[in-house]
Amino acid sequence: MTCATCAATIEKALKKIPGVVFAAVNFATGRATVIYPPSAVPAADLVAAVRGAGYDVVSASAEIAIKNVMCAGCAATIERALLRRRGVFQAAMNVLTLRARVKYLPTEIGLDELFEAVESAGYQVIRPSPADAALAQADGRSAGDAEREIRERDLRRLRTKVVIGFALSLVIFLGSMGGVLPFVPAFLRAPVLLWILATPVQFGLGAAFYRGAWAAFRNRRADMNTLVAVGTSAAYVFSAVETAAPSLLSAGGRGQHVYFDTSAVIITLVLFGRFLEARAKGRASEAMKKLLGLQPRTARVLRGGIETDIPPSAVLPGDLVVVRPGERIPVDGLVTKGRSTVDESMITGESIPVEKGEGDEVIGATMNRLGSFTFRAVKVGRETVLARIVRMVEEAQGSKAPIQRLADRIAGWFVPAVIGLAVLTFAAWMIFGPEPALKFALLNFVSVLIIACPCALGLATPTAVMVGAGKGAEYGILIRNGESLETAAKLTTVVFDKTGTLTEGAPALTDIIPGEGWTEGGLLGIAAAAEKGSEHPLAEAVADAVASAAPAVAVPGADSFRSLPGRGLEASVGGRDVLLGNAALMTERGVDVSAWTDRAENLSAQGKTVMYAAVDGRAAGLFAAADPLKAKSVAAVDRLKTLGLDVVMLTGDHRRTAEAAARAAGIGRFAAGLLPGDKIAEIRRLQKAGERVAMVGDGINDAPALAAADVGVAIGSGTDVAMEAADITLIGDDLMGVARAVELSRRTIRTIRQNLFWAFIYNIVGIPVAAGVLYPFFGLLLNPMIASAAMAFSSVSVVTNSLRLRRMDLGAPPPKRRAFSQPLASFPE
């Protein structure tokens, strides 16, 4: 924003929002003053208005780790509490990762106020203690490690509660069943003893449900805690009154009916289900644990000539780090001394160790195999490759897929609707039910409340996204968020850039054709001598060919060298005049190459660059160079076609080269001679035709096209700019990762749909059964204890179904599907 006109545009956009009382923008400071009632005008509307006017907002983001979140209703309560605060314009709570991702205006609200908003809603923010933080720093661990340890402690406490609950509930259950179990001692059947035993279960082990229900009530909401607290309290209070005043509720003098076993067993089973969920969540994040486990605990730094072991987090850019055989490299850097082979498979997926020498790049967390070396630290802390991978996976696992919006909307009104149904059920049994009506009404009321807990609904999407994102990381596929994951499952067309994506990105000699009196080795040697002073890419191709043929090829020394821009070069090698260049140079110097014309044209038709060689004024032969396809390009294109995707190539190269590359890769549609803006136009044209398009690229010039596509896929060996613009990043340059990403996305979304289906079916079928619709026909009622076990089972089954993604083999052949293509004519030049 640089002028008064810009300020006026923003003011006008803000004033259009209903409820905004005043808006003034100071273009000199770049700040807007807005007066509005935060209860009526969400900050998101203000941000959207500014962005809609073509300007951006300076914002901050934060992740808040929260402890006692149980279901989608809890998540909705937290999101609502955050969004009510002035300055918060986006909040998303993930019930699986137990983290809320918040975007806010730092000029309006701070972190402490965000924490207070969560805590005022009745939830506990995880703030690692100073002791935890100090221990993490000493061990070289991240704050996330300390946070995970806090959650592991909570899991141990939950296990203890479950054990105590089962022990007390078993005794209470046996005492309640004394009438049919003659071996139960008489004293154990006494209602007073059952009351005493049930009380610590109800108010001790079940205290978290009451705290959650009270917090939800204060926020004018109802959630899973409400259902459990109301349902178990109804059974407990009824039984307590029946015990204290038997004549008050007993029906027709038929004796006491107490249900302490119902309340105690329900609380224990719900806690047990939550324990199983927590364990399953731990398995769902196993890929993240593996990634974090790659970070070594210490780094050996050379300071003042002395080797010192320090945590990797304490390494500074420029430090010299010593690595010995069998050790992991602590941070990213450049080798300054020594040689070795490094296993980079955990980062790149490449199983063959890579040779490293002076000047080569090394990646933190990779394994040094044979030699020792010293390297200079370049990227440390959050800037290392491993840290970026962990950050991307965490962001993906904590994000929401669009498909989850349906579950969130339903969860918003589901619990209040269930409470209403439970009340109707109670009333119906009291009016129309058989005697003792109160007993039937109470049991069915509790059953409806318990079986309808929407835990499975809230876990259906995040569990699958979490496992899918982690599985992708194992294969070097980093998915930015849940939206990218879902969109990738709907792709119809994959667009590839050519240079550096389908091809190696550097020319290589493909043909050496010597003339009369010359051998391939002799011609290559004299060309290498002449090219020594050249910086042309073809010079690198010649040098690489000589290196591959060494020591068979001798390279004499060059006496002189002169570059001839646009034509080639001339040099003096061992007293002989050497020319290397195109046909125009040969014609200019009077060298007859007519005998080579047919061969040269044939090579050019294959998309190769032809270079003639002449020695002492006579043609000596010719060379042909091309940018070769990557080893797995053809297989990757084949696999994408098998998955039913159309494959297109867009490139800035001239048509002949592009056509040869497309033909070699098995791609039927391509467009050549494109500028970055032209690639965007082609992608948008495909989108307008109804295609869901993925763009795969690696260079800075690909970044706009990556952003324009429905899904941008960046090759990890490419530029940081391309990776920032992409929705999916492939670590390494294996293009099979594109097909794997599509397969992973499809299977993950399929799993989400399965989870949602079973979660919905469970509630649709379970609630009427719990209400007693089968009783008039078959005399069947659903015991509340069975309802609580079914509720716990539904949540665990959703998580378990998602965990099946961990067994997915993305290297297996995909199912055969129809491949399709369109004619080249659909891409006009």
Side-chain angles (χ1 to χ4, degrees):
M1 183 172 61
T2 58
C3 65
T5 304
C6 303
T9 302
I10 296 173
E11 288 173 6
K12 185 177 179 181
L14 289 168
K15 288 175 181 176
K16 285 182 179 178
I17 301 173
V20 170
V21 178
F22 172 82
V25 178
N26 187 325
F27 71 87
T29 62
R31 297 172 71 90
T33 301
V34 187
I35 298 176
Y36 65 97
S39 59
V41 181
D45 290 355
L46 303 178
V47 174
V50 174
R51 289 177 173 169
Y55 302 90
D56 206 354
V57 175
V58 177
S59 62
S61 60
E63 280 196 352
I64 305 174
I66 305 171
K67 232 177 160 181
N68 50 331
V69 181
M70 303 176 193
C71 65
C74 301
T77 300
I78 292 170
E79 289 170 2
R80 207 175 288 260
L82 287 165
L83 289 170
R84 277 203 298 263
R85 293 301 173 110
R86 185 183 183 94
V88 176
F89 62 91
Q90 187 175 322
M93 178 69 216
N94 189 300
V95 295
L96 189 64
T97 62
L98 301 182
R99 299 176 79 88
R101 192 182 302 276
V102 188
K103 288 189 177 180
Y104 61 98
L105 305 176
T107 55
E108 297 285 324
I109 192 170
L111 273 178
D112 287 339
E113 292 168 283
L114 296 177
F115 293 160
E116 193 272 328
V118 174
E119 289 168 343
S120 67
Y123 299 90
Q124 186 178 348
V125 174
I126 297 179
R127 308 188 199 193
S129 67
D132 289 324
L135 182 62
Q137 181 67 22
D139 289 345
R141 294 171 291 142
S142 67
D145 295 326
E147 181 184 300
R148 271 179 285 278
E149 289 184 6
I150 292 172
R151 289 191 177 147
E152 286 174 4
R153 287 202 295 267
D154 289 342
L155 183 62
R156 289 194 291 271
R157 292 193 189 104
L158 187 56
R159 182 190 295 116
T160 302
K161 286 184 178 181
V162 170
V163 171
I164 294 172
F166 268 120
L168 291 174
S169 297
L170 179 61
V171 176
I172 296 168
F173 178 78
L174 290 174
S176 301
M177 300 294 289
V180 294
L181 299 175
F183 61 84
V184 177
F187 76 92
L188 200 58
R189 307 176 192 178
V192 174
L193 178 61
L194 299 180
W195 186 5
I196 293 172
L197 293 174
T199 300
V201 178
Q202 186 71 36
F203 300 107
L205 303 183
F209 300 116
Y210 286 104
R211 285 194 296 267
W214 174 244
F217 175 76
R218 284 193 294 116
N219 285 275
R220 296 186 296 278
R221 291 188 61 82
D223 58 16
M224 172 190 169
N225 295 298
T226 308
L227 298 180
V228 176
V230 171
T232 58
S233 295
Y236 178 86
V237 171
F238 174 90
S239 302
V241 172
E242 181 79 347
T243 302
S247 61
L248 189 62
L249 296 177
S250 291
R254 298 178 188 174
Q256 291 175 290
H257 297 280
V258 294
Y259 302 105
F260 291 117
D261 57 332
T262 297
S263 63
V265 171
I266 286 174
I267 287 175
T268 301
L269 285 174
V270 172
L271 288 173
F272 181 58
R274 193 175 298 171
F275 171 72
L276 293 178
E277 285 176 26
R279 286 187 59 189
K281 290 174 186 177
R283 292 199 300 274
S285 60
E286 202 167 276
M288 182 61 68
K289 292 177 183 176
K290 288 180 183 177
L291 285 172
L292 292 168
L294 295 176
Q295 178 72 52
R297 290 297 179 95
T298 61
R300 190 175 294 104
V301 178
L302 192 62
R303 291 176 177 170
I306 300 174
E307 292 184 6
T308 307
D309 287 345
I310 62 173
S313 58
V315 177
L316 302 174
D319 277 344
L320 291 176
V321 183
V322 180
V323 184
R324 292 173 183 159
E327 294 181 341
R328 289 197 183 275
I329 298 168
V331 296
D332 300 355
L334 295 173
V335 177
T336 59
K337 181 182 177 182
R339 297 192 67 82
S340 184
T341 56
V342 176
D343 180 0
E344 298 182 341
S345 59
M346 66 285 296
I347 299 293
T348 65
E350 178 57 57
S351 58
I352 301 173
V354 182
E355 292 280 346
K356 299 291 182 181
E358 191 173 330
D360 288 336
E361 180 184 18
V362 289
I363 303 173
T366 55
M367 177 69 75
N368 180 36
R369 287 298 184 194
L370 299 177
S372 298
F373 62 88
T374 302
F375 72 93
R376 188 175 303 279
V378 176
K379 293 182 179 179
V380 300
R382 290 175 58 85
E383 300 304 315
T384 63
V385 170
L386 179 65
R388 291 175 65 188
I389 291 173
V390 169
R391 197 155 60 245
M392 289 185 72
V393 175
E394 283 181 335
E395 288 175 1
Q397 291 182 333
S399 66
K400 288 187 177 183
I403 197 172
Q404 190 174 344
R405 292 170 191 157
L406 173 64
D408 288 347
R409 283 198 300 270
I410 291 174
W413 57 261
F414 187 77
V415 173
V418 166
I419 293 175
L421 285 172
V423 171
L424 287 175
T425 299
F426 183 87
W429 279 94
M430 284 297 294
I431 297 170
F432 304 109
E435 290 296 332
L438 181 59
K439 169 188 172 182
F440 285 110
L442 176 69
L443 292 180
N444 288 306
F445 171 78
V446 174
S447 293
V448 170
L449 288 176
I450 298 303
I451 201 167
C453 286
C455 299
L457 202 59
L459 291 169
T461 299
T463 51
V465 170
M466 189 172 189
V467 179
K471 189 67 179 180
E474 291 180 18
Y475 281 88
I477 303 165
L478 304 182
I479 300 169
R480 186 174 294 275
N481 51 42
E483 185 174 358
S484 303
L485 184 73
E486 184 171 339
T487 306
K490 302 173 184 176
L491 291 174
T492 59
T493 301
V494 177
V495 175
F496 284 99
D497 172 53
K498 182 184 79 70
T499 306
T501 303
L502 284 169
T503 68
E504 294 289 354
L509 279 186
T510 57
D511 300 88
I512 304 173
I513 304 175
E516 188 177 343
W518 288 92
T519 63
E520 286 189 13
L523 189 62
L524 182 59
I526 204 164
E531 292 272 20
K532 267 187 179 178
S534 174
E535 296 180 356
H536 194 278
L538 290 177
E540 295 182 20
V542 171
D544 289 343
V546 170
S548 299
V553 175
V555 181
D559 303 321
S560 64
F561 165 85
R562 185 162 73 99
S563 177
L564 304 171
R567 292 170 295 165
L569 61 86
E570 62 179 347
S572 176
V573 180
R576 306 184 75 176
D577 295 328
V578 178
L579 288 175
L580 289 174
N582 55 25
L585 175 62
M586 298 298 139
T587 301
E588 178 187 305
R589 297 300 178 90
V591 179
D592 181 13
V593 293
S594 57
W596 304 90
T597 302
D598 289 344
R599 289 186 181 181
E601 288 181 354
N602 185 44
L603 292 168
S604 295
Q606 297 173 34
K608 299 177 181 179
T609 301
V610 175
M611 180 172 60
Y612 293 91
V615 179
D616 294 331
R618 293 184 60 188
L622 58 80
F623 299 91
D627 184 6
L629 290 176
K630 290 179 179 176
K632 295 186 179 178
S633 290
V634 175
V637 170
D638 236 10
R639 194 175 182 104
L640 288 168
K641 288 181 176 180
T642 305
L643 289 169
L645 295 163
D646 200 9
V647 183
V648 175
M649 186 184 78
L650 303 179
T651 179
D653 273 357
H654 57 78
R655 183 180 178 82
R656 181 176 283 182
T657 303
E659 187 174 0
R663 186 183 302 112
I667 298 174
R669 300 170 64 191
F670 72 92
L674 303 179
L675 297 173
D678 299 327
K679 291 183 180 180
I680 295 175
E682 292 292 353
I683 287 171
R684 287 180 177 159
R685 191 164 62 80
L686 286 167
Q687 290 169 330
K688 284 180 182 177
E691 302 286 341
R692 289 288 184 94
V693 182
M695 172 69 194
V696 186
D698 75 323
I700 291 175
N701 65 322
D702 295 324
L706 291 172
D710 296 290
V711 175
V713 183
I715 305 298
S717 56
T719 65
D720 288 346
V721 176
M723 293 172 70
E724 286 299 320
D727 301 295
I728 297 174
T729 298
L730 304 181
I731 302 301
D733 59 0
D734 183 359
L735 291 183
M736 288 297 287
V738 181
R740 291 186 183 118
V742 173
E743 292 177 69
L744 174 67
S745 300
R746 288 180 177 179
R747 294 196 199 183
T748 303
I749 297 303
R750 189 185 311 138
T751 300
I752 290 173
R753 289 187 179 126
Q754 290 169 354
N755 288 347
L756 289 173
F757 172 80
W758 288 113
F760 282 126
I761 289 297
Y762 162 80
N763 282 298
I764 289 170
V765 174
I767 291 175
V769 172
V773 295
L774 298 181
Y775 186 80
F777 307 103
F778 306 104
L780 296 177
L781 287 175
L782 187 66
N783 188 290
M785 290 183 284
I786 297 175
S788 64
M791 184 271 290
F793 173 76
S794 70
S795 299
V796 175
S797 65
V798 163
V799 178
T800 304
N801 187 46
S802 297
L803 287 173
R804 291 191 307 118
L805 289 168
R806 290 170 53 203
R807 301 197 299 271
M808 180 170 45
D809 181 9
L810 293 176
K816 292 290 182 183
R817 300 195 183 188
R818 180 181 62 87
F820 58 93
S821 182
Q822 293 183 18
L824 185 64
S826 64
F827 277 79
E829 290 297 318

